[in-house]
Amino acid sequence: MDDRLTHLRATAPDLILRAETLDALHEVEQSVVGRTSPIAEIRRTLGQLPPEERPGVGRAVKEVADELAELIDTRRAVLERAAADALLVGDRVDVTLPGLSIPTGGLHPIQRTIDEICEIFIGLGYRVAEGPEAELGWYNFDALNTPPDHPARAESDTLYLEWEHHDELLLRTQTSPMQVRWMEQHPAPSYVVVPGKVYRADTIDASHLPVFHQIEGLAVDEGITFSDLKGTLAHFAHEFFGARTKVRFRPHFFPFTEPSAELDVSCFACDGGQSDCRVCRGAGWLEMLGCGMVDPNVFTAAGYDPEVVTGFAFGMGVERPAMVRHGINNIRHFVDNDLRFLEQLA
Amino acid sequence: MKVSLRWLREYVDLPDDAESVARALVALGHEVEDVETVTADWSGVTIARVLEVAPHPDADKVRLCQVTVGGDPIPVVCGAWNFEAGAVVAWAEPGAVLPGDFRIGVRTIRGVESNGMICSERELGLGDDHDGIIVLDDDAPVGTPFADWVELPDTIIDVTITPNRPDAMSLVGLARDLAAHFDTGLRIPAPEPTTVAGTVGTRVVIDDAEGCPRFVLRQIDGVHIGRAPYRMRRRLAASGVRPISNLVDVTNYVMLELGQPLHVFDADRVNGDFTVRRADDAETMETLDGTTRRLDPTDIVIVDADGPTSLAGTMGGLRSEVVDTTSRVLIEAAAWHPPSIMRTSRRHNLRSEASARFERGVDPNLPPLAATRAAELMLATGGGSLVDEVVDVIARPIEPAVISLGVDYVARTLGPGFDSAHIAELLGSIGFGVTGTDPLEVTVPTVRPDVVRPIDLVEEVARLHGYERFPETVPAGPGGGWSPEQRRAMQLRTVLAGAGLHQAVNLSFLAAEDLDAFAYPADHDGRAVVRVVNPLRDEESAMRTAVLPGLLRSIRHNRSHGRPDVALFETGKVFFARPDATDPRIPAQPDRVAWAVTGGYGATELGAEARPADIHTATALLRLVAERLGLDVALEAATEPGFHPGRCARVSIGDRTVGYVGEIHPRTAAAYDIDTRVAAAELDLAALTAAVDHRLLAAPSPYPQVDFDLAFVVPDAVPAADVVGAMHQAGGALVEHLAPFDEYRGVGDGQRSLAVRVRLRSHDKTFTNEEAAAVRAAMIEAVAGLGGALRGVA
């Protein structure tokens, strides 16, 4: 083999691999396979060789040239990729900057609480109904077995409305009137929850609003018993407050249920264990809702036969459990619509 | 009601620990608000008798006493003068420690040895009285710890009694429930006072049998007005009742004990006999509080020869009040018709412990026992002689109710596990008489006026059985879940929240400022206001007729807290003073959705300002809602109170107007201190959430599209919607997309340039250029029909 080729084969790969830039590689390429390179020189003078040597030299030249060209291509790919990577590094930004500002909205915490509670009962086969807020005294009181002289009907408790078309129009003080409206319109069995606004003649302070929300529940069927009431509401408490929650049913009084009960849940903050608990004030229990077996008089008023069906009903505030869950100590936050409050749940 | 546990134990045997008692009360339906332990804040104080009181040899303001605790006389110097030899006192022995870490020892006072101290109320932290030392009742046991005598330590349980249980507004009532719960004995006072033969000087006639079923009078002659015994005073104080004088204290004591409110007359200030009747319209009476009250026939009064002298069940009259010089008294114990007492106490704004009990219902057959118990205690505290005659007028006998209760009836409500023996045992435990097995015939004592129906008995059975003992079962309903309309309302709220709006909740009232700000004309719906009869504040005197005013107030709130960019929506009812279409008995109260967006709205680069919200923001949100809910909404320019007259559109679905979208009128916004544009909409929610047919989806066409833009010069009066509509019609089914993308006004007065981007695509073939050109030409011609011309073409 030509000494020049031998030399080239020995030295060129190193030159190629040492080229650190595409420009340097280009220079090396010119020097080893370019027009002035020994390879070009040998090829140019190939014709001057004796014919019997030509094929051998020609093969050797091609072999070396191909070998070097491949090395150069490989090296070029490496350098090109490195150059591209270097560009990406230069494209870097501060990833901790806020970036684009996309407006965030959200559902009101009261809406979320209502939806969540309704979903729990939907899971038990209930439907959801809403009803009028400007309601007749008949539905809000009389049909619910509440006598005309009951203290709740006083103007100090209930907001009444001017209305010439019917007696005693008021702002419903509870979602319970929908029990009666629902039963008037639907034959048993009735399994329904009723979320909505209710009204009281209350002065606004940290724990009172004249308008707040309740969810009513009604389950009427043949064979519904007090055990069904307990089981259903215990299930609800466990779904809503967590499986660890303990429940307590206390006898209570409501005009439209009998027997009646109040449901307490163990304080989620202290599990009932701390005398200085901020949430339950040491009581260990939080009052959650009122409930009871539907009074036969309510069935009669609503057109159901109390000899055929039994049922239970319950009513709970929405603001209070929402306050308890979110650690809010002022109910007014729910109606201020302050973005600094609402955005936290967006 | 504050219950002294030490006092309560007088009527029933209870477990030692207060917690068990409190838990039992809760399980019985008597809510416990608080349990407070009260301890004696002293040590070393013993009941002692003063044997001798002598002047101090060397001091005028103190005296030298000899006291005994059972043994030798002990000299004590005392500065109080309200006692003499024989008095029973509270003596702090040397080594005693009084409140405030006040240590008592042996001292020499002006040369005389003084051992310990005779205590005043204030020194023991029992009260404010420091005028003299505590003088105890003569029967107080000398030599025993003073703390025992005043029943310390004690536990005060604060119980809330539900309105159906007036019987439990007394210690005996609570004891009855607790005795049943713990299966222990109940001790009801059985007074046997000494009497003298005689007749009560005042006779009683009941004119109003409805109002007064029963009226009892007893008479004591020669009673002394003074202080009640110390222990009685302590018990009253522990129950939250201020001790006053022996006779008043006894009436309060018996009320707390038995639940029967009582009244005492000075017999010498009563003129003639009593008549119980309804008051006349013209009558007046001066009550104990010195107020002259106008009476009317809703009031029941006790009248003597000089007219009304007591307002039944509520407050006595000043004229016959017991005074310091009283010596002959009449004790009244009566049964009153609860609603009558409620009306009287409300009308005169006289709420008392007595009216609270009578309103709910006191056992109508309790008066004889209560009057005699009071007489017994008065004799013990004020002396005198009790006339043996009892005036007991029964105008309307009230007998115990007898209720038939089938075992099945109990099981229907409470489930299996209640046989007749168990039911009988439970009801018997609170004094109900039970005979028979199925049905059980249950006799309900008149102390329980709340139990009149079988279901009332079922409640008693459940309560006494114990709520915690019922198993828990979960029935399932028939299912159904959210209605389609409810689901779509949720979707609507989610879409708006996803578009960057926060859901607001406002009170459903309308303020006067809202009506002014929105400037509704007289015949506009916005003025069809339903008014509140008894609002607490002006701002709550009318029901809202629109949701937007509340949102504008919320924007004002946020702007005033440094948040100029506000995007809110709200769903809720509005109210109109016209009958509802489906239930004409009540006012129309449709649900609405409204939004209000002001300041920058939309995605922004770091540091850049967002595009200020305007009508296009409002319509974009409407389009978003419509697309997501599959609604075909149409807009046309309109004017509506509260909206910017040039930037307001009526929104319709089909031929029905469903609301308005646009910008709030600057004057309206200014009323809420808003000086930026407010993008707004107020829409009927039901119209948006009404169920729609299943939406059919088109398969994407495989054929290529043809895109072109057309710019028209059109008269200002021609809305973009008309141009788009005409082009759409011309392109027919070939139009895949067609929307204005530029508006330019520099093309001459009364005209504007409107550029429209068009994409055509066929579902069954590739277009030829000629076909596309034909559609383009048809569109140009259609717009020409509206008075528009292709821009740049003469």
Side-chain angles (χ1 to χ4, degrees):
Chain A
M1 189 184 280
D2 191 302
D3 284 351
R4 288 170 300 176
L5 273 183
T6 308
H7 180 73
L8 196 60
R9 198 176 204 176
T11 58
D14 200 37
L15 290 172
I16 291 165
L17 292 174
R18 283 183 185 210
E20 288 298 328
T21 64
L22 287 167
D23 285 348
L25 184 64
H26 185 67
E27 274 179 33
V28 171
E29 185 178 20
Q30 292 304 315
S31 69
V32 298
V33 297
R35 272 181 294 138
T36 57
S37 67
I39 285 179
E41 180 85 359
I42 293 169
R43 276 182 172 152
R44 263 199 305 278
T45 57
L46 201 59
Q48 298 164 15
L49 291 176
E52 65 277 15
E53 288 182 22
R54 286 179 201 163
V57 173
R59 261 196 312 277
V61 168
K62 183 176 187 314
E63 196 175 306
V64 173
D66 287 352
E67 207 177 283
L68 294 179
E70 193 183 336
L71 270 177
I72 289 166
D73 283 349
T74 305
R75 183 64 185 162
R76 181 178 291 117
V78 168
L79 291 176
E80 277 173 354
R81 190 184 168 89
D85 286 351
L87 277 177
L88 292 182
V89 169
D91 203 25
R92 115 183 128 231
V93 296
D94 179 351
V95 298
T96 65
L97 282 173
L100 266 190
S101 166
I102 297 171
T104 56
L107 299 182
H108 194 280
I110 292 300
Q111 183 77 52
R112 289 164 192 262
T113 308
I114 287 174
D115 290 349
E116 188 180 340
I117 292 172
C118 288
E119 294 283 358
I120 292 171
F121 286 98
I122 284 174
L124 293 178
Y126 287 58
R127 309 206 62 159
V128 182
E130 287 148 287
E133 294 167 17
E135 182 58 286
L136 298 178
W138 160 257
Y139 286 107
N140 196 73
F141 291 125
D142 301 274
L144 293 171
N145 200 36
T146 310
D149 52 8
H150 191 275
R153 302 181 82 145
E155 289 205 350
S156 56
D157 288 4
T158 298
L159 292 169
Y160 287 88
L161 298 173
E162 290 177 9
W163 186 238
E164 60 192 19
H165 301 278
H166 202 278
D167 288 344
E168 204 183 21
L169 183 74
L170 47 78
L171 288 166
R172 66 176 177 189
T173 60
Q174 48 197 0
T175 40
S176 314
M178 255 317 267
Q179 285 184 29
V180 181
R181 283 187 179 269
W182 177 272
M183 288 191 277
E184 280 181 345
Q185 290 156 18
H186 302 82
S190 284
Y191 291 77
V192 63
V193 286
V194 184
K197 285 193 171 92
V198 299
Y199 301 77
R200 301 275 169 91
D202 271 331
T203 307
I204 297 179
D205 62 25
S207 47
H208 295 90
L209 289 174
V211 186
F212 54 102
H213 296 78
Q214 277 187 351
I215 296 182
E216 189 80 6
L218 179 71
V220 182
D221 208 336
E222 289 180 27
I224 293 281
T225 68
F226 191 71
S227 288
D228 294 328
L229 176 157
K230 278 188 70 181
T232 299
L233 294 176
H235 168 81
F236 160 72
H238 292 144
E239 290 283 311
F240 190 73
F241 288 104
R244 276 193 319 171
T245 307
K246 293 188 285 291
V247 298
R248 178 174 83 169
F249 290 86
R250 285 186 283 113
H252 202 71
F253 171 74
F254 303 106
F256 40 96
T257 51
E258 188 159 17
S260 302
E262 277 205 289
L263 170 65
D264 298 341
V265 298
S266 55
C267 177
F268 71 94
C270 72
D271 270 343
Q274 275 175 32
S275 60
D276 59 346
C277 176
R278 188 179 59 85
V279 174
C280 67
R281 294 195 178 82
W285 297 96
L286 300 169
E287 278 181 30
M288 203 37 59
L289 55 81
C291 55
M293 302 301 291
V294 177
D295 193 288
N297 289 351
V298 176
F299 284 141
T300 305
Y304 276 18
D305 185 350
E307 298 298 318
V308 175
V309 293
T310 50
F312 63 82
F314 56 89
M316 70 184 94
V318 178
E319 275 78 359
R320 195 176 141 73
M323 287 170 80
V324 164
R325 280 182 131 196
H326 296 300
I328 298 163
N329 58 16
N330 193 329
I331 197 171
R332 280 177 288 206
H333 292 312
F334 289 133
V335 292
D336 278 346
N337 303 314
D338 192 312
L339 290 173
R340 295 166 299 170
F341 178 74
L342 298 175
E343 279 165 353
Q344 298 176 64
L345 273 179
Chain B
M1 188 171 81
K2 288 187 167 176
V3 176
S4 155
L5 190 52
R6 291 280 287 255
W7 188 6
L8 181 62
R9 289 180 194 279
E10 198 167 300
Y11 311 103
V12 61
D13 293 326
L14 296 172
D16 288 340
D17 68 307
E19 274 308 311
S20 296
V21 178
R23 269 202 307 276
L25 286 168
V26 169
L28 287 160
H30 307 301
E31 193 176 345
V32 170
E33 301 290 345
D34 194 25
V35 177
E36 188 192 0
T37 304
V38 188
T39 52
D41 196 11
W42 65 77
S43 67
V45 180
T46 307
I47 297 176
R49 183 176 298 278
V50 179
L51 298 171
E52 186 187 318
V53 181
H56 188 287
D58 198 24
D60 292 340
K61 298 204 168 162
V62 296
R63 297 187 292 177
L64 176 57
C65 309
Q66 303 291 331
V67 305
T68 179
V69 291
D72 294 338
I74 305 162
V76 188
V77 173
C78 182
W81 293 77
N82 65 324
F83 66 99
E84 293 304 332
V88 181
V89 298
W91 172 63
E93 64 195 29
V97 182
L98 303 193
D101 201 27
F102 180 29
R103 286 164 193 283
I104 305 300
V106 180
R107 292 198 295 158
T108 302
I109 298 174
R110 294 231 172 184
V112 176
E113 185 189 77
S114 177
N115 295 275
M117 186 175 86
I118 303 176
C119 304
S120 72
E121 277 192 2
R122 196 165 79 189
E123 282 156 350
L124 293 178
L126 289 174
D128 294 333
D129 193 351
H130 195 54
D131 290 343
I133 52 114
I134 297 169
V135 178
L136 297 172
D137 319 324
D138 280 349
D139 59 348
V142 170
T144 63
F146 175 67
D148 285 352
W149 180 245
V150 294
E151 301 185 313
L152 291 177
D154 194 3
T155 303
I156 308 300
I157 304 178
D158 194 356
V159 185
T160 301
I161 306 298
T162 52
N164 61 322
R165 291 295 306 277
D167 66 293
M169 297 176 81
S170 67
L171 294 168
V172 166
L174 289 174
R176 186 179 290 113
D177 265 6
L178 288 167
H181 182 89
F182 289 114
D183 194 19
T184 57
L186 174 67
R187 293 180 289 273
I188 298 176
E192 289 175 357
T194 309
T195 55
V196 297
T199 54
V200 174
T202 305
R203 313 314 296 173
V204 175
V205 174
I206 298 176
D207 253 9
D208 178 10
E210 167 78 10
C212 182
R214 188 165 190 174
F215 194 100
V216 168
L217 272 186
R218 295 210 67 153
Q219 181 175 323
I220 301 177
D221 299 334
V223 74
H224 293 286
I225 308 297
R227 279 191 155 194
Y230 202 77
R231 177 177 280 190
M232 181 180 287
R233 290 158 52 81
R234 286 295 310 146
R235 285 182 170 181
L236 291 176
S239 309
V241 176
R242 197 165 57 91
I244 296 168
S245 71
N246 54 350
L247 300 194
V248 175
D249 290 356
V250 164
T251 60
N252 284 328
Y253 189 88
V254 173
M255 179 178 71
L256 293 173
E257 180 182 64
L258 297 175
Q260 170 76 53
L262 301 158
H263 183 61
V264 187
F265 297 91
D266 182 332
D268 294 320
R269 302 174 75 200
V270 170
N271 184 3
D273 295 333
F274 280 158
T275 302
V276 181
R277 62 160 169 80
R278 296 277 162 178
D280 291 341
D281 269 327
E283 284 179 316
T284 62
M285 191 189 90
E286 192 171 5
T287 43
L288 282 179
D289 56 1
T291 307
T292 300
R293 300 183 183 273
R294 279 200 70 85
L295 307 177
D296 76 18
T298 61
D299 299 319
I300 305 170
V301 284
I302 300 163
V303 180
D304 67 4
D306 293 334
T309 192
S310 185
L311 198 51
T314 312
M315 191 177 268
L318 194 64
R319 179 161 61 81
S320 54
E321 181 191 24
V322 169
V323 292
D324 287 348
T325 55
T326 295
S327 79
R328 223 157 55 89
V329 295
L330 292 166
I331 303 167
E332 169 209 314
W336 304 108
H337 183 231
S340 298
I341 303 301
M342 187 185 302
R343 280 191 289 271
T344 292
S345 74
R346 281 202 202 141
R347 200 167 68 75
H348 295 288
N349 199 21
L350 277 174
R351 307 291 178 88
S352 64
E353 290 287 316
S355 69
R357 285 169 174 78
F358 282 129
E359 279 178 24
R360 292 173 171 82
V362 175
D363 180 359
N365 296 314
L366 186 56
L369 171 67
T372 303
R373 173 66 170 156
E376 178 184 60
L377 293 171
M378 284 180 193
L379 291 179
T381 71
S385 39
L386 173 65
V387 171
D388 66 352
E389 189 204 18
V390 181
V391 172
D392 185 357
V393 181
I394 299 176
R396 178 162 60 94
I398 296 180
E399 302 294 338
V402 179
I403 304 169
S404 266
L405 181 67
V407 174
D408 272 1
Y409 189 82
V410 177
R412 283 187 68 219
T413 302
L414 301 186
F418 291 89
D419 58 25
S420 60
H422 185 43
I423 296 168
E425 185 194 341
L426 292 172
L427 294 176
S429 72
I430 50 168
F432 287 21
V434 183
T435 59
T437 50
D438 194 6
L440 298 97
E441 299 296 327
V442 183
T443 304
V444 181
T446 52
V447 70
R448 291 296 305 273
D450 59 312
V451 179
V452 294
R453 300 175 298 162
I455 195 68
D456 303 327
L457 290 172
V458 170
E459 177 172 55
E460 288 304 295
V461 169
R463 189 174 72 89
L464 296 165
H465 179 69
Y467 280 12
E468 76 285 353
R469 290 172 61 193
F470 284 85
E472 294 180 359
T473 50
V474 185
W482 301 108
S483 70
E485 291 79 8
Q486 287 163 345
R487 249 195 297 274
R488 286 166 62 77
M490 291 176 86
Q491 192 185 359
L492 167 71
R493 288 191 285 263
T494 309
V495 166
L496 289 171
L501 277 61
H502 283 281
Q503 186 182 12
V505 172
N506 278 292
L507 304 184
S508 333
F509 300 108
L510 181 80
E513 72 162 353
D514 299 329
L515 285 176
D516 293 343
F518 276 71
Y520 297 114
D523 58 348
H524 191 274
D525 246 4
R527 287 216 185 265
V529 171
V530 178
R531 299 204 175 273
V532 179
V533 173
N534 54 329
L536 289 186
R537 305 190 304 162
D538 282 350
E539 298 92 307
E540 291 151 19
S541 56
M543 303 310 294
R544 66 181 179 186
T545 52
V547 174
L548 275 174
L551 290 179
L552 295 179
R553 280 197 293 272
S554 300
I555 287 177
R556 171 166 61 193
H557 171 89
N558 280 290
R559 283 168 53 90
S560 74
H561 288 82
R563 299 296 299 264
D565 304 338
V566 189
L568 296 171
F569 77 98
E570 181 173 355
T571 56
K573 289 191 186 302
V574 295
F575 303 81
F576 298 111
R578 58 163 181 272
D580 180 70
T582 52
D583 183 353
R585 297 171 297 174
I586 57 175
Q589 37 199 310
D591 283 291
R592 290 274 180 86
V593 57
W595 56 79
V597 182
T598 196
Y601 171 78
T604 52
E605 299 266 9
L606 178 62
E609 297 278 321
R611 182 183 176 283
D614 60 15
I615 182 173
H616 302 305
T617 312
T619 53
L621 289 168
L622 176 67
R623 214 165 47 244
L624 180 69
V625 165
E627 279 167 11
R628 297 291 292 275
L629 293 181
L631 299 168
D632 199 3
V633 299
L635 300 186
E636 60 175 319
T639 56
E640 174 68 6
F643 281 89
H644 187 309
R647 294 181 168 220
C648 173
R650 178 182 299 114
V651 182
S652 46
I653 297 176
D655 53 5
R656 184 176 161 206
T657 297
V658 300
Y660 294 87
V661 61
E663 279 176 31
I664 295 296
H665 195 297
R667 275 200 298 275
T668 304
Y672 299 91
D673 307 321
I674 304 167
D675 57 5
T676 48
R677 293 184 187 273
V678 182
E682 173 132 6
L683 304 160
D684 183 66
L685 186 68
L688 303 184
T689 58
V692 294
D693 293 338
H694 292 292
R695 293 163 69 182
L696 300 176
L697 303 181
S701 163
Y703 299 101
Q705 72 277 15
V706 175
D707 291 331
F708 57 87
D709 295 345
L710 292 172
F712 297 99
V713 175
V714 293
D716 259 351
V718 177
D722 290 4
V723 174
V724 167
M727 291 173 72
H728 234 294
Q729 207 167 9
L734 297 172
V735 176
E736 182 175 283
H737 171 85
L738 194 159
F741 68 94
D742 187 44
E743 184 195 30
Y744 173 66
R745 291 198 167 272
V747 291
D749 283 350
Q751 294 193 312
R752 59 179 171 152
S753 162
L754 201 62
V756 182
R757 180 152 295 163
V758 182
R759 167 169 284 186
L760 305 178
R761 197 194 305 263
S762 165
H763 270 272
D764 46 33
K765 61 174 183 168
T766 300
F767 268 181
T768 63
N769 285 341
E770 291 72 26
E771 286 166 326
V775 173
R776 187 173 175 278
M779 288 181 168
I780 293 167
E781 196 183 325
V783 176
L786 298 170
L790 203 57
R791 194 171 167 205
V793 178

